[in-house]
Amino acid sequence: MDSRTVALIRTTFKAVAAEEGGSEKLASSFYATLFTDYPRVRDFFPAAMDSQRDRLVKAISYTLDRLEEPNKLLPFLAQLGRDHRKYGVEPEHYVAVATSLKTAMRRFADTEMWTDEVDRAWDDGLAIISETMIGAADREETPAIWSGTVVECRSVLRNLVVVRLRLDQPMSYAAGQYLSVQVPSRPRMWRYLSPAVPANADGDIEFHIRGVLGGWVSPAIVGQTRIGEQWLLGSPLGGLGVPRNTKRKMLMVGCGTGIAPLRAQIMSMAQRRINPKVHLFVGGHYPCDLYDLEMLSQLAVANTWLTVTPVVENDENPWWHVDSREPAREVPGMEPRRTGQIGKIVAGFGPWTDHDVQIVGSPSMVQTTKFRLMAAGTETKNIRHDPLF
Ligand SMILES: Cc1cc2nc3c(=O)[nH]c(=O)nc-3n(C[C@H](O)[C@H](O)[C@H](O)COP(=O)(O)OP(=O)(O)OC[C@H]3O[C@@H](n4cnc5c(N)ncnc54)[C@H](O)[C@@H]3O)c2cc1C
Ligand code: HEM
């Protein structure tokens, strides 16, 4: 796509989204058009389409923001297309989505702004997005959906469970990737989770799930998961991972369940002969949030290339934490625990110019840590994280 086409799409999109409540209005107009003009498409979507459920529109705006970086965007779209097979999406649905989005855009854009050239630019942009997703889905030979049986559900904190499943057939995801999951108590509500172990021939997989206050799916997983129930899993997504034979040192920063994809990568690296040096910072609000220290300690003791520094915001456990023992400050194989805001602490060790960086955690933690690292001299191109939607 030429740079003028990209510029036209981005300018019109930003002009609409920048208005007060612009993206919400765009999302609701898009869905209203889509469901009115193509009623059969409604069945793909969850019953409750509240304001938080504009994931599709957020994803499209994330995509439009990256039109100028085709070498990053096209693999991302290909993964999405393979994953969208889980919805049973067919090429004609892409036409429905593209047409509805353009109609919604035209409705909110200034009439003067929406010229024939802009209209054609949108057609071109949406066609590239759709063709990339459809093409990748067509070429894919792996299953559209994997199913797995829950074999263990362990509560490790009052709002955090570790769930292990045995898949009906093994999935070859790369350590560090994430995938979307649907649990039986929340039909059609797919959510992304990151496997906490590398792929294996037995099809064993593990997820760490924190119940988000007011969330639809995560509290149901924490409170209602039963041994023997069947979960559905979509295709693997994401580009975190440590390439074999890389000489670049790695900085990994993970908070809460963000440790899952990092630990999967470290476990996978532990099976290799040669590894670059890795410094992992694992963070939580309280010492009790560092629920996986035992495993990380074993990995740090066994692998000399790995340094682990735990970080907490508060030195004491909260009153509601049932274990009244003093939290251990020193853990075998690990650096002493630090107290403070994780981004600030990590940046303080910096500037990390000779490291590739991965940040995993809540969107605000990822943004703040990235900002701190950039302010301390780390180049943006060396920082990776998953999309924040
Ligand atoms: C790439 C990726 C990988 C992920 N991996 C994991 C994982 O391994 N384990 C895990 O537990 N979760 C993970 N998540 C988050 C997960 O996908 C869900 O977003 C989360 O569980 C909330 O879903 P929900 O249905 O309970 O909440 P929703 O009903 O979707 O949202 C309810 C409210 O909670 C807010 N909210 C959503 N997520 C968060 C959050 N993380 N922190 C604070 N507020 C939030 C929403 O903005 C909304 O206001 C991952 C997300 C992404 C994008
Ligand atoms: C135009 C290109 C499209 C892009 C970039 C895109 C991207 C995304 C992304 C990233 C998500 C959120 C994560 C997920 O659950 O997979 C999503 C959700 C979804 N997409 Fe797509 N998608 C596109 C087209 C379509 C089409 C054609 C359909 C079929 C009608 C579709 C149906 C859905 C559904 C049902 C959801 C879940 C919505 C929710 O949970 O609120 N998408 N899309």
Side-chain angles (χ1 to χ4, degrees):
M1 211 182 322
D2 62 69
S3 55
R4 178 157 175 85
T5 308
V6 173
L8 289 173
I9 296 175
R10 290 184 60 174
T11 325
T12 39
F13 187 78
K14 289 218 181 302
V16 169
E19 277 184 31
E20 201 178 331
S23 31
E24 291 77 26
K25 280 191 213 150
L26 182 69
S28 52
S29 169
F30 160 73
Y31 281 120
T33 311
L34 182 67
F35 296 160
T36 310
D37 292 354
Y38 306 91
R40 284 163 65 181
V41 168
R42 179 67 183 94
D43 290 343
F44 290 120
F45 288 83
M49 295 288 299
D50 56 34
S51 58
Q52 308 298 341
R53 296 269 51 82
D54 58 352
R55 298 202 301 163
L56 173 51
V57 177
K58 275 194 197 147
I60 292 175
S61 65
Y62 173 90
T63 310
L64 297 177
D65 246 355
R66 280 158 187 78
L67 283 174
E68 266 161 328
E69 302 172 273
N71 49 348
K72 283 193 191 150
L73 181 61
L74 297 180
F76 168 77
L77 289 172
Q79 286 185 341
L80 263 186
R82 290 192 278 269
D83 181 49
H84 266 51
R85 294 176 303 148
K86 72 185 184 226
Y87 296 124
V89 174
E90 297 290 341
E92 70 259 27
H93 301 128
Y94 282 92
V95 177
V97 163
T99 312
S100 307
L101 185 67
K102 206 178 83 171
T103 308
M105 273 298 305
R106 204 170 31 211
R107 184 167 302 145
F108 291 111
D110 255 337
T111 6
E112 273 177 41
M113 186 189 273
W114 201 270
T115 60
D116 287 348
E117 196 188 7
V118 167
D119 199 79
R120 278 196 303 275
W122 272 85
D123 282 340
D124 289 352
L126 291 167
I128 287 182
I129 294 173
S130 302
E131 280 161 19
T132 312
M133 289 177 70
I134 294 168
D138 274 354
R139 286 189 296 276
E140 187 61 23
E141 285 174 359
T142 62
I145 295 181
W146 278 258
S147 66
T149 309
V150 173
V151 293
E152 187 185 338
C153 178
R154 191 160 43 92
S155 174
V156 291
L157 286 175
R158 65 169 188 170
N159 64 346
L160 201 152
V161 288
V162 170
V163 179
R164 285 201 312 111
L165 298 111
R166 166 72 53 105
L167 301 180
D168 291 348
Q169 49 177 311
M171 179 196 286
S172 53
Y173 57 89
Q177 287 195 295
Y178 56 95
L179 33 97
S180 60
V181 172
Q182 184 188 248
V183 299
S185 60
R186 292 291 180 269
R188 282 189 284 166
M189 294 190 179
W190 295 84
R191 291 292 182 274
Y192 290 143
L193 296 177
S194 309
V197 292
N200 56 78
D202 294 330
D204 287 329
I205 198 162
E206 175 179 312
F207 296 111
H208 299 181
I209 304 108
R210 177 185 293 278
V212 168
L213 202 64
W216 279 98
V217 178
S218 57
I221 297 182
V222 171
Q224 297 173 33
T225 301
R226 298 288 169 262
I227 308 291
E229 73 182 27
Q230 296 277 310
W231 288 16
L232 301 179
L233 281 66
S235 304
L237 300 139
L240 297 185
V242 181
R244 276 178 192 276
N245 305 324
T246 180
K247 298 238 167 23
R248 297 270 299 170
K249 289 186 253 180
M250 289 294 312
L251 166 64
M252 295 180 171
V253 189
C255 269
T257 56
I259 196 62
L262 301 178
R263 136 209 229 271
Q265 292 178 68
I266 291 168
M267 289 169 83
S268 164
M269 292 169 79
Q271 293 161 14
R272 301 178 187 169
R273 267 189 324 117
I274 302 172
N275 281 302
K277 287 216 175 303
V278 176
H279 196 148
L280 168 70
F281 286 82
V282 48
H285 289 294
Y286 301 105
C288 62
D289 288 328
L290 305 176
Y291 63 92
D292 204 31
L293 282 194
E294 209 177 302
M295 177 57 151
L296 296 175
S297 160
Q298 284 172 22
L299 285 165
V301 169
N303 297 288
T304 49
W305 44 265
L306 177 64
T307 306
V308 182
T309 307
V311 181
V312 288
E313 280 176 24
N314 307 281
D315 249 339
E316 305 292 327
N317 275 329
W319 62 267
W320 44 259
H321 185 65
V322 282
D323 189 345
S324 57
R325 278 175 300 172
E326 182 73 8
R329 279 184 175 275
E330 304 270 343
V331 180
M334 290 198 189
E335 299 291 297
R337 200 178 70 213
R338 307 275 169 158
T339 306
Q341 201 273 331
I342 192 158
K344 204 168 164 186
I345 299 238
V346 178
F349 276 71
W352 304 104
T353 39
D354 54 350
H355 282 66
D356 281 338
V357 185
Q358 294 186 29
I359 313 173
V360 193
S362 67
S364 64
M365 174 269 172
V366 172
Q367 299 282 30
T368 320
T369 308
K370 188 174 175 181
F371 173 79
R372 292 268 187 197
L373 286 172
M374 282 162 54
T378 311
E379 284 187 77
T380 331
K381 71 172 173 51
N382 294 334
I383 304 179
R384 280 182 294 155
H385 57 80
D386 287 324
L388 305 173
F389 47 74

